Amino acid sequence: MGGSMKAPEKEILGTKMNHRHRPKITALVVDDNMVVRAIHHRLLQDLGIENQVAVNGKEAVDVHSSGQYFDLILMDMDMPVMNGIEATRKLRAMGIRSTIAGISSRSLEREKQEFMEAGLDDYHEKPLTADKIVSILHKISNHSG
Amino acid sequence: MERNQQLRRQLASMRQSLFDQGHLDEQFILLEELQDDANPNFVEEVVTLHYRDSARLITTIERALEKSPLDFNKLDGYMHQFKGSSTSIGAKKVKAESTQFREYCEAGNGEGCMKTFQLLKRDYATLRRKLEAYFQQALPGA
């Protein structure tokens, strides 16, 4: 599957991302599935990324309305109450400039396109792996210079 | 020492058979790689979450399949959730049957849905039984 990072790579990533002059990366996992939330939370934790979880798009929007900010948002597409497309549009309309990566089991190009057009910076098909997260993180470090 | 080695071999054999028989795929290995001293039971915890999630969905789908006419959109939605959870733990056979079920939903094929669902339940129960036996064996002091 190619999703496994060796320990030295994780260490290098940790050093790069958590340099003493650079604050630790924070992330928000948005997914209605408790199994997926647990796995994504652990994957991020294993990479040294502090993270919280939200069970749907509305919760993701509310947590931002309360003033919290995250460097990275991993956004599922299909969720009750508010789906990922709507949540992404709302967050962008609120002026949230975090890196938002769509993480979904949808594979059709038009579905991916609709999600991207809502304001995503990146998109990956499930299952999420450490390698995929690293490729997303490189976008954060590129944005911040 | 010899007994411990024997138990370890038995455990490894149980684990390998889950892959050889097509019940699990490489996603399960990813979960194992996330297990460490700080999270020693991570795999079992995630699998237990999956049981909770999937048992609820199986009941929901069963009830939905009893209705007439069948609401294929709802059935597809429920199975999408079930498939997501199964995929996350590497449940290979169950994932394939979930995909098949969704194809029958798209085609409006109620009989296909019902037959596939019976196969899915059977393979889900088999995987659950085998994983429970595996984790029981893997417990320290077992």
Side-chain angles (χ1 to χ4, degrees), chain A residues 130-141:
Chain A
D131 286 348
K132 289 179 183 177
I133 294 176
V134 169
S135 79
I136 297 166
L137 290 173
H138 281 131
K139 288 183 193 272
I140 297 176
S141 55

Side-chain angles (χ1 to χ4, degrees), chain B residues 49-120:
Chain B
L49 274 178
H50 166 67
Y51 293 155
R52 204 188 306 164
D53 190 40
S54 52
R56 173 186 61 83
L57 284 165
I58 284 176
T59 303
T60 302
I61 293 168
E62 263 170 345
R63 287 187 187 142
L65 283 170
E66 286 165 5
K67 292 191 187 322
S68 182
L70 292 176
D71 186 333
F72 289 107
N73 278 338
K74 270 194 177 157
L75 283 167
D76 182 68
Y78 298 141
M79 190 53 77
H80 173 77
Q81 292 178 54
F82 183 88
K83 184 184 167 186
S85 185
S86 302
T87 302
S88 297
I89 69 150
K92 188 177 179 182
K93 273 190 192 179
V94 170
K95 175 180 143 187
E97 281 147 2
S98 303
T99 301
Q100 180 70 73
F101 184 96
R102 297 190 69 198
E103 286 169 6
Y104 281 128
C105 284
E106 197 170 327
N109 184 337
E111 197 179 320
C113 285
M114 290 190 203
K115 281 186 178 161
T116 306
F117 189 59
Q118 294 310 313
L119 288 172
L120 183 153

Side-chain angles (χ1 to χ4, degrees), chain A residues 64-65 68-70 73 88 90-100:
Chain A
H64 283 86
S65 296
Q68 288 195 69
Y69 174 84
F70 304 90
I73 302 169
T88 302
K90 272 200 154 59
L91 288 171
R92 293 304 191 206
M94 285 164 66
I96 301 298
R97 293 289 164 252
S98 310
T99 298
I100 306 179

Side-chain angles (χ1 to χ4, degrees), chain A residues 26-126:
Chain A
T26 59
L28 179 68
V29 173
V30 190
D31 201 298
D32 63 319
N33 187 290
M34 63 174 109
V35 178
V36 172
R37 284 198 305 273
I39 294 170
H40 290 183
H41 168 73
R42 180 74 192 100
L43 268 169
L44 289 166
Q45 192 183 57
D46 198 48
L47 289 168
I49 298 167
E50 286 178 11
N51 68 96
Q52 292 178 36
V53 299
V55 304
N56 57 49
K58 183 178 183 303
E59 206 170 280
V61 169
D62 289 347
V63 86
H64 283 86
S65 296
S66 73
Q68 288 195 69
Y69 174 84
F70 304 90
D71 299 294
L72 170 64
I73 302 169
L74 299 180
M75 184 76 78
D76 183 26
M77 188 193 286
D78 297 296
M79 294 179 286
V81 185
M82 185 187 292
N83 66 33
I85 292 174
E86 196 184 338
T88 302
R89 281 195 194 118
K90 272 200 154 59
L91 288 171
R92 293 304 191 206
M94 285 164 66
I96 301 298
R97 293 289 164 252
S98 310
T99 298
I100 306 179
I103 312 292
S104 174
S105 50
R106 303 276 193 127
S107 56
L108 290 178
E109 199 53 41
R110 60 174 170 77
E111 292 169 328
K112 179 185 165 181
Q113 187 63 26
E114 189 186 0
F115 204 178
M116 289 295 297
E117 284 170 1
L120 296 181
D121 296 293
D122 202 355
Y123 178 93
H124 287 274
E125 272 185 54
K126 285 176 177 172

